[in-house]
Each structure stands twice: as structure tokens, then as C-alpha cells.
Amino acid sequence: MSRTVLRRIHPAGILALWTLLLLLLTACQGAASPTTGEVSFELVALEPDTQIVGEVTLVLRVLRGEAPLAGAQVAVQGDLRRAGVLPVQGGGQTDSAGVVRVPFEWTTGGDWVVTVTITTPDGQQRAGQFELTIAS
Amino acid sequence: MTPSPSLYRPAAAFDALRLPLIGRVLRHRYGRLALQIPFLALAALLVYDGFTGDPLAGRNLATVIPWVHYRGFAVLALLLAGNLFCMGCPFTVPRTLAKRLSGRGPRFPRALRSKWLAVAALILLFFAYEWLDFWSSPALTAWLIVAYLAASFILEALFSESPFCKYVCPLGTFNFVYSTLSPVQIAVRDREICRSCVGRECLTGSYSPQPVILIDQVGVNGAPDRTHAHSPQGTLGCGTLLFAPQIKSNIDCVMCLDCARACPHDNVGLMARRPGTALTRADAFPPRYDLAFLIIILAAFGLINAFGMVPPVYALMQSLADGLGLTAAGLSDAAIEAVVLIAIFLIGGVLLPVALSLLTAAAARRLTRTVQRDSLRAALCAFAPAFVPIGFGLWAAHYAFHFLVGFLTIIPVTQYFLQDHHLGWLGAPNWSLGGIDSLEVVGLIQMIALLAGFVGSLLAAQRIAARLYRRQAMAGLLPWALLLLLMMMAGGWLFSLPMEMRGTITFS
């Protein structure tokens, strides 16, 4: 059926279609592994969506410029804003959408500072922090 | 000759200053300095890292060592050895320098020569700790250390005695109160030597800018029979003005051992004693309201401080903020927190314990029909020392929590500090090192500390009641036992709740 459809299209149209497809593929490739732009991340979600002591999954999205960055190694360390409490560590690798899901645990209530260190596929390293107040 | 009742010596078979090596080191002219110099170096390191290191509390020596390790070791040392932290106090190194520079200044103002200033300083420190979150700020902790050094230096330079240690220092005040449980105490070996002592160097010191020969005894031919010297190499006297043969408890003793070094008769020792002996002796604690309320308020703050770490504190702070109309007034969260903390501290830490202890003393007097015989002050002050064990139990349970869950964090923080200064001797920080993982085990240790403190207090109160009320001891004990039970139950409730590290409070 698709052959029938293609036969009905003008050769110039087929060429235009291929060009469009090529452009789209290039665009997707560019989004997955951009080589320019600043690396950043955003906390997309907490699963479950509550800030209380216990296990949680941090959903992070890593971007290079405006585009998602696939294949980046992400290391996460949570430090309580208090001395003498064991930091919590986790990590993972971003998928094609630049998203990584990091299993984590808030071990005690208080103010947590989460440091996210990203290592890009080309070996660059970027780090950033966000803060959350967790209740018991 | 009957010994004078003012001269006191605990029955002890063991004198730490007679130990072969340790005794010599302790008595050595620079014995204390040898302990102080490492602590001073450590204080300098904490100030340096506090101001220049990572602002995250868990990654900075300035917050890890004072708030996790110092407090844990301090309570352990008080219980097992004595007031070791005042002995090695780094803040008194510049004090000694100030003293030598200033010579003999005036005495500390008479109106301030009590424990009221120390009570106020303690409450101020507790308030600042909670309000400014010292535990989460390396820079603020560094400033606190600097403030300590400055205050100690200035007060010592201005006045003749050591007013900072005796009347101001909150850490020293804490150590003074709880070192009354310690197994050692300064005492004299032979009371008769003190009776005939001319110089009283244990009190006044053996330091003199110019060498001076003092005559102890004149012989039958009129020539000096026994002499001793004061010199620039001599020791300063007791900074807290304690006369060694009259010391009956560890209150005000910083264990500097200057008395032992200054004594020309080698008559001062660091004697072993049964822990807590001083609590039940009639004359060990002067019957003063300032001292009695210091002990009781400090025990109450053991509860208040722990309460600051459990979830119900948020609800109480919010309801106080609403009740006082602070949220409606549109104040900032920091201002609301300050007012609410002051309210909690004044009501829970001061007014309530003072009122309850006065009511208890009044009830004990009425039940034992000693209203005419004993003043309210006498009844209260006699039982105040019974609050030392339960207060210690509460503080030990709280500090044990921080220490036990985080004692190994000193390793990665040190690794991190060295790595930050390009010294890779200890390798990369191993952030997986914490402490005891099991909160059940930690909770059990906390409960043991609390119960041991309660039993110790109950025993002390029972002995005081027996001494004070004899046949009516049970009636006199009952109100105090109920108050102690109330404190223990409050402590039990607090420590059974999940202890969290109080975070930012947002008032709604």
C-alpha cells in the first residue's frame, strides 16, 4: 500500500520528503548529542511527590543548551545542612530524552543540599546544587 | 588536734599526680600547656576552615568537630575522667598571656560575682545556637571560636582573677556542673600542712616578677628553718579563687593543676573519689539561688534542646507564632523564630523549672513540717544537686545521638580538607563513613543514659532527704521524686520520637 502511495507522488516530492527526513534525523541526532551550549540540569520530579523522610526517586533532566543530553553520567550527593550526618549518594545515566531517574533516600528530616555532578559523553564535568527541606 | 571543719579531704587511696609518668607530666610546669597547644592549633584550624572551607556543614571541620565530636567526648570525659576540656582549654592560652601582660587588675565587679551571668550566657548561647543554626554554618562556628578567644583575653586582661572561666564561659559552666559527677577531684594530702601554710600558694600562686624567698618556719636560733621561693618561673594562682583544702566539689575547678604546681609543700593531689559523692554532702554546694537554679535550668535545657530536634517543635512554634499574633503582624520568618524561641526558652527553660522547683521545695517543707526550721532557699538548694545526674543523662542522651551517628564523619571531612589543599595523603574522601547505622541501637543507648541519670538523681535525692528530714525522709523525697519522674518521662517521650536535624522553618 505504501508503494502505491509513493508511486503516486512526484519524484521531486519524494526528493523533498527524503530531504525533510534527513533534516529531521539530523535534528534528532543534534538533540541527543549536542556539542555546544552550557550543560545544565533541572529537577523534573520527586517520586513520590512528597518531601518527607524515606525513599524517593529523583527525576532529573540534563540539558546542553536547550537540548536534552543523552548518555551523560550523573552523580548525586545529598548533604544535610548539619554536621555528622551521612551523605546520601546515587547516580545513573541519562536516556535519549536527557532524563535520569536516581533512587535516593532522605534519611532524616532537615534542610538537604543536593549536589548533582554531570559528566558528559565527551568528558566535560559540570556540577550544580539545589536545596529541599524534608520533614519527618 | 581536731581538724578544722573548713579543711576538707576526700577519703582517697589514689592520687593521679602520684602516677609514675602521667603524674610527672601533669605536674610539670608546661604540663597543661602541652595539652593546650594541640587544642589551640585545632581551634586555629577550625577557624581557618570555617572561614575558607566548604560552606556545607557536613564537609567542614569547623562544624563537624565542635558539634559532633567535642560534645560527645566532653560528656564522656566528664563521666570517666573529669573536666579534661577545661584543663586543655585553648581559650585560656591567650588568657595566661593577658594575665602576665596586665599584672594585677581590679577584681571582677562584686555584683557580677555569681552564677547569674553564667546562666544568662548559657541561655544566650542556646538561643544563638538555635536561632542562627550554628550547626549548619562553619563561618558562624568560626566566629564563635574567635568571640570566645577575644572574650577570654579581654576579661583576663582587665581583671585580677579569671572571670571568664568562673562567671561567664557557658562551656565551662556546663563542665563545672557535670564534673561534680566525675571520679576525680582536687584535694590536699595532709590538712595539717595547709593549716600552717603561710603563703597559700595554691590560691595566690608562686609567680613573682622578681625572685623572692619566703620563710615558712623560723628555727630556735632565729635563722630560717624552712623556706621556699617565688620567681618569674612560678605558677599563677587559682584563677577561679579556690583554696585547695576547702574544695568540696568540682564546681569552679578547671583542673588546670596550677594549685598542685604552686604548692611548695607538694601537698595537692588529684584524688579519686566515688562519682557523685559531692552531690549529697551538706557543705559541697553553697546554698545559693544562683547555683541551685543554674543546675536546675541546665537540666531543663537538656529537655528544651532535645525538643528542638523533634517534629512537634514545628507545631508548637507555629501555634506560638499565631497565638502571639506574629504571623498576622507580617514579621519575617527570622524575626518570628527569634520571638518564638525566646518564648519557649523563657517559659520552658526558665520560668517552668524555677516555678516547679520552688513549688516542690515548698511541698517538701510542708509535708515534713519543716516550714519553720528550713527556709525555702535552704530546702531548694539542698535538693538542687540531685538534678545533676538527670541533667547529665538528658544531655548525654542528646549528644550521644549526634556522636554515635556521625563519629566516623571526621575521616572523610579530614580527607576532603587535605584534598582541598592538594595533600592527598589520606586519599579521596570516603563519604560512606558515618557511624552507627542502627537507630534502634542509638535509641537504646539514649534510654540507658536517661534512665541511669534518673536513677542517680533519685538516689541522690533519697540521701539528701534522709540527711535533711531523717524519719520523714520519704515524705520529703516524694515531691522531688515526682518532679524527677516528670523530667524522665518527658525525656523518654522526646527520645522516642524521630530526632531530625531541624531545618528551615517557614511560618504560614
Side-chain angles (χ1 to χ4, degrees):
Chain A
M1 187 176 160
S2 60
R3 272 190 186 178
T4 316
V5 172
L6 282 175
R7 276 177 196 157
R8 285 180 192 167
I9 299 172
H10 193 273
I14 293 172
L15 185 66
L17 199 64
W18 274 112
T19 309
L20 185 65
L21 195 63
L22 193 68
L23 278 172
L24 278 173
L25 282 172
T26 313
C28 288
Q29 183 71 20
S33 300
T35 51
T36 56
E38 197 167 321
V39 176
S40 63
F41 73 91
E42 58 187 5
L43 177 65
V44 179
L46 293 174
E47 292 174 356
D49 189 20
T50 51
Q51 290 175 223
I52 55 166
V53 168
E55 291 183 2
V56 68
T57 300
L58 304 179
V59 184
L60 301 164
R61 180 181 293 123
V62 179
L63 306 164
R64 178 172 259 161
E66 298 285 307
L69 179 62
Q73 291 294 331
V74 176
V76 180
Q77 176 161 321
D79 289 278
L80 197 73
R81 271 207 181 280
R82 175 158 203 151
V85 178
L86 206 62
V88 180
Q89 292 174 315
Q93 191 174 33
T94 54
D95 59 18
S96 57
V99 171
V100 59
R101 303 170 66 82
V102 182
F104 213 65
E105 185 182 3
W106 310 117
T107 52
T108 179
D111 291 342
W112 284 86
V113 178
V114 181
T115 307
V116 179
T117 307
I118 301 157
T119 307
T120 61
D122 55 2
Q124 287 182 45
Q125 233 179 27
R126 291 283 184 278
Q129 289 180 333
F130 63 89
E131 296 189 27
L132 286 172
T133 297
I134 302 298
S136 289
Chain B
M1 194 163 135
T2 316
S4 159
S6 64
L7 298 182
Y8 169 69
R9 184 190 185 288
F14 175 80
D15 176 1
L17 300 187
R18 293 288 193 205
L19 286 171
L21 183 65
I22 296 170
R24 278 188 68 184
V25 171
L26 288 173
R27 272 182 300 151
H28 190 272
R29 190 179 162 209
Y30 297 117
R32 190 186 188 200
L33 199 61
L35 199 60
Q36 286 176 308
I37 293 295
F39 278 116
L40 186 65
L42 183 63
L45 179 68
L46 299 188
V47 171
Y48 168 74
D49 203 27
F51 286 139
T52 65
D54 196 311
L56 265 179
R59 300 185 192 179
N60 197 301
L61 292 166
T63 27
V64 170
I65 290 178
W67 305 124
V68 177
H69 297 85
Y70 162 76
R71 301 190 303 184
F73 279 124
V75 290
L76 208 60
L78 285 168
L79 191 65
L80 301 178
N83 194 354
L84 294 185
F85 279 88
C86 281
M87 182 193 255
C89 176
F91 308 122
T92 54
V93 176
R95 181 200 85 159
T96 310
L97 179 68
K99 193 64 73 194
R100 302 247 175 183
L101 290 174
S102 69
R104 294 195 69 80
R107 283 208 60 195
F108 200 55
R110 183 178 291 274
L112 299 176
R113 278 185 233 153
S114 68
K115 292 296 178 192
W116 293 122
L117 197 58
V119 171
L122 258 174
I123 295 172
L124 186 68
L125 180 67
F126 289 142
F127 169 74
Y129 175 79
E130 294 289 344
W131 187 46
L132 301 173
D133 302 347
F134 276 126
W135 64 79
S136 66
S137 172
L140 278 178
T141 307
W143 274 118
L144 185 67
I145 296 170
V146 172
Y148 249 89
L149 283 163
S152 168
F153 186 83
I154 292 166
L155 284 176
E156 299 301 317
L158 290 177
F159 300 103
S160 62
E161 70 267 58
S162 296
F164 183 74
C165 297
K166 185 159 181 159
Y167 303 117
V168 182
C169 178
L171 297 181
T173 302
F174 182 94
N175 292 342
F176 288 159
V177 170
Y178 294 120
S179 65
T180 55
L181 288 171
S182 300
V184 293
Q185 181 193 310
I186 290 289
V188 297
R189 298 189 181 105
D190 184 348
R191 287 173 292 193
E192 295 310 313
I193 291 174
C194 299
R195 205 185 299 281
S196 60
C197 178
V198 183
R200 298 188 170 191
E201 280 82 358
C202 60
L203 178 64
T204 59
S206 60
Y207 171 77
S208 166
Q210 304 295 326
V212 176
I213 304 288
L214 283 94
I215 300 166
D216 286 312
Q217 197 175 316
V218 179
V220 285
N221 57 356
D225 215 18
R226 204 152 45 92
T227 64
H228 65 273
H230 286 187
S231 69
Q233 284 76 44
T235 309
L236 293 169
C238 180
T240 54
L241 303 181
L242 299 175
F243 182 39
Q246 289 181 333
I247 293 175
K248 298 183 180 77
S249 79
N250 282 331
I251 287 280
D252 290 347
C253 179
V254 297
M255 266 177 66
C256 64
L257 302 179
D258 277 352
C259 50
R261 290 183 202 104
C263 179
H265 315 292
D266 193 19
N267 193 38
V268 179
L270 187 59
M271 309 290 191
R273 60 170 196 177
R274 197 157 44 83
T277 317
L279 302 179
T280 53
R281 278 181 58 89
D283 54 354
F285 289 79
R288 295 184 344 231
Y289 271 132
D290 61 328
L291 190 57
F293 284 132
L294 165 65
I295 294 167
I296 292 166
I297 286 171
L298 193 54
F301 265 95
L303 285 170
I304 297 286
N305 207 246
F307 181 64
M309 288 192 60
V310 292
V313 76
Y314 293 105
L316 178 68
M317 291 179 85
Q318 182 65 55
S319 61
L320 276 173
D322 294 340
L324 295 170
L326 302 172
T327 37
L331 297 175
S332 68
D333 281 342
I336 295 174
E337 189 182 359
V339 176
V340 165
L341 280 174
I342 289 170
I344 291 175
F345 279 16
L346 286 184
I347 296 168
V350 181
L351 295 177
L352 201 60
V354 166
L356 282 176
S357 56
L358 283 171
L359 277 173
T360 308
R365 283 166 81 218
R366 200 164 279 277
L367 286 170
T368 54
R369 298 192 189 92
T370 52
V371 176
Q372 300 297 322
R373 191 195 74 182
D374 296 339
S375 67
L376 187 63
R377 186 180 66 173
L380 175 84
C381 293
F383 279 92
F387 286 81
V388 170
I390 194 159
F392 184 82
L394 287 163
W395 284 109
H398 183 175
Y399 289 170
F401 173 81
H402 293 298
F403 183 70
L404 293 173
V405 301
F407 66 94
L408 288 176
T409 54
I410 186 79
I411 298 170
V413 177
T414 307
Q415 289 172 319
Y416 184 66
F417 174 83
L418 291 174
Q419 192 183 51
D420 202 30
H421 291 78
H422 311 292
L423 302 166
W425 305 328
L426 298 180
N430 180 0
W431 295 113
S432 66
L433 294 172
I436 296 177
D437 290 336
S438 166
L439 288 180
E440 286 76 21
V441 173
V442 176
L444 183 68
I445 293 169
Q446 286 182 294
M447 284 301 170
I448 289 170
L450 179 64
L451 284 175
F454 172 65
V455 170
S457 281
L458 215 52
L459 284 172
Q462 183 265 326
R463 286 187 185 169
I464 295 165
R467 191 191 74 223
L468 218 59
Y469 303 125
R470 299 186 185 276
R471 286 183 183 174
Q472 293 187 308
M474 277 308 289
L477 173 65
L478 187 67
W480 293 106
L482 285 175
L483 183 56
L484 291 168
L485 183 68
L486 188 69
M487 289 183 76
M488 193 276 287
M489 287 171 68
W493 172 68
L494 286 175
F495 293 122
S496 67
L497 293 171
M499 289 191 94
E500 64 176 50
M501 315 297 180
R502 193 159 57 80
T504 306
I505 298 173
T506 309
F507 294 94
S508 54

